[in-house]
Amino acid sequence: MFLELIGTIFAGFAIAGLVMGLNRLTGGRLPKWSAPVAAGLGMIAVTIISEYSWYDRTRDALPEGLTVVQEVESRALYRPWTYAVPYVDRFAAVDTASLRTNAQVPDQRLIDLYFFGRWAPVSKMPIAVNCAEHSRASLADGAEFSDDGRLVGADWLPVGADDPVVSATCEA
């Protein structure tokens, strides 16, 4: 976040410098307010470009084994351009490298689900997936495993075979 702020400020200075250079080349014909207005517009443009490119940069930098399963697009009244073209400011990814199974219950799998946000730290939640029943359960609430390997105390959510978390987990 700090580096983006520095980059935005630098872009404002650079664009103001270009306008001042252009003003000098034209013999001072540009109005005095052109440099600060150009700097402000340039800083807004750099901020917008940074917001729209964040998801692609973050997704491309994900390590092998992380599969994006859901994207959340953002629209805001104070960013009217987002109603025309929304941008992704949050997404969830399944870590297929963390997949764990139990031979006693082959239809149930444990996997880590990561949540990424534009200005938020990455958070991780263990998820249990039942591939036979197409359901999943969050293990954040302290579910336990019984002696036969079954999950006890979890609230199973029937989501269907087309759920992106279930399909990514069961296909891995």
Side-chain angles (χ1 to χ4, degrees), residues 49 76 106 117 124 155 162 172:
I49 289 168
K124 176 177 97 170
D155 293 327
D162 59 342

Side-chain angles (χ1 to χ4, degrees), residues 23-110:
N23 190 28
R24 181 169 269 180
L25 287 175
T26 60
R29 294 185 181 156
L30 295 176
K32 291 183 179 185
W33 52 263
S34 60
V37 168
L41 291 174
M43 291 169 72
I44 290 171
V46 167
T47 301
I48 292 171
I49 289 168
S50 178
E51 286 179 346
Y52 277 93
S53 65
W54 171 81
Y55 170 66
D56 293 328
R57 287 180 290 144
T58 305
R59 183 193 59 210
D60 293 343
L62 291 176
E64 190 71 29
L66 277 178
T67 305
V68 175
V69 292
Q70 186 176 13
E71 303 166 346
V72 179
E73 292 182 339
S74 177
R75 292 180 177 91
L77 188 60
Y78 58 90
R79 295 179 187 136
W81 56 87
T82 60
Y83 287 100
V85 182
Y87 72 98
V88 176
D89 70 339
R90 293 178 289 156
F91 68 94
V94 169
D95 184 9
T96 55
S98 72
L99 181 67
R100 298 172 300 278
T101 59
N102 186 343
Q104 294 176 349
V105 281
D107 293 332
Q108 288 183 6
R109 300 174 182 195
L110 297 177

Side-chain angles (χ1 to χ4, degrees), residues 2 42-43 111 113 130 172:
F2 180 71
M43 291 169 72
I111 200 156
L113 182 64
N130 190 325

